[in-house]
Amino acid sequence: MTEAETPEDLWVFGYGSLIWRPGFDFVERAGARLHGFHRSLCIYSHVHRGTPETPGLVLGLDRGGICRGVAFRVPVDQAEETIDYLRAREQATAVYLERRLAIRLDDGRRLNALTYIADRAHSQYAGRLPEAAVLGFVRQGKGVSGENPDYVRRTQEHLHEMGIHDPLLTHLVAELDKSPSPTPT
């Protein structure tokens, strides 16, 4: 049983690790779509999945397209605490811009949700990299939240469970699961 919704409740849109590890309490979780942005491994990770010396790559919302993800409803009395938590988690290096954007829940409701989009002016914005470079950064990344390949695998797994097919993540997981090439003799 969920708490009754109020207009002051906070909605949070998750498109990557928030889907499988939100880290905050919520009273409702629903599939959702965000228009005008797409999920992209476009952020060099210097904290959570890499370091400045050996960066990994994490997801960001980049301009264009549609992103399917998850919306979480947080009661108004927990909104401030949740925003503080999200700022500490998502803004460790200020690579994201905090925005409230219009989303549509799978049940048809339209609302505004707090989310974090890629800051294209930030030095950690990687943009669109060649697939081989993406794979290299993902393979090498390890930060305070763990290894970068685990992040990609878990995100792809949870998207798949939700019926969301992300061709790049699916391909990366297949490549990561291949055994390393033997060293030439």
Side-chain angles (χ1 to χ4, degrees):
M1 188 165 154
T2 63
E3 296 179 27
E5 187 172 355
T6 70
E8 297 83 23
D9 287 348
L10 171 70
W11 284 90
V12 177
F13 180 75
Y15 54 88
S17 62
L18 284 178
I19 291 173
W20 47 270
R21 189 176 59 88
F24 55 87
D25 293 330
F26 56 90
V27 294
E28 184 177 355
R29 173 190 164 115
R33 293 175 194 254
L34 171 66
H35 289 261
F37 294 90
H38 67 281
R39 182 182 3 263
S40 176
L41 280 167
C42 65
I43 303 293
Y44 293 117
S45 180
H46 290 178
V47 175
H48 289 286
R49 301 294 171 164
T51 65
E53 300 78 25
T54 311
L57 277 178
V58 292
L59 293 165
L61 285 174
D62 210 354
R63 292 190 301 230
I66 298 172
C67 182
R68 288 183 59 206
V70 173
F72 300 94
R73 183 169 63 87
V74 177
V76 65
D77 63 339
Q78 295 174 8
E80 187 176 329
E81 172 186 337
T82 300
I83 292 169
D84 289 345
Y85 165 77
L86 289 169
R87 286 178 179 159
R89 173 179 168 166
E90 302 297 324
Q91 296 292 61
T93 60
V95 68
Y96 297 105
L97 302 171
E98 184 179 280
R99 297 289 185 261
R100 291 194 189 238
L101 299 173
I103 63 170
R104 183 176 187 161
L105 303 184
D106 287 350
D107 67 11
R109 286 181 285 171
R110 296 173 189 261
L111 48 95
N112 288 324
L114 179 71
T115 195
Y116 293 86
I117 63 172
D119 180 353
R120 288 179 156 216
H122 197 282
S123 62
Q124 286 175 245
Y125 176 72
R128 186 179 176 106
L129 297 172
E131 186 178 305
V134 170
L135 188 57
F137 282 111
V138 168
R139 279 189 171 139
Q140 78 179 9
K142 183 177 182 179
V144 298
S145 294
E147 295 186 8
N148 208 169
D150 294 338
Y151 166 85
V152 170
R153 282 186 183 99
R154 290 197 70 190
T155 303
Q156 189 274 338
E157 173 187 316
H158 283 82
L159 290 173
H160 179 76
E161 288 172 2
M162 295 171 55
I164 299 171
H165 178 65
D166 186 304
L168 176 61
L169 293 182
T170 300
H171 178 72
L172 285 174
V173 168
E175 290 298 313
L176 291 167
D177 288 345
K178 288 181 182 177
S179 57
S181 302
T183 306
T185 56

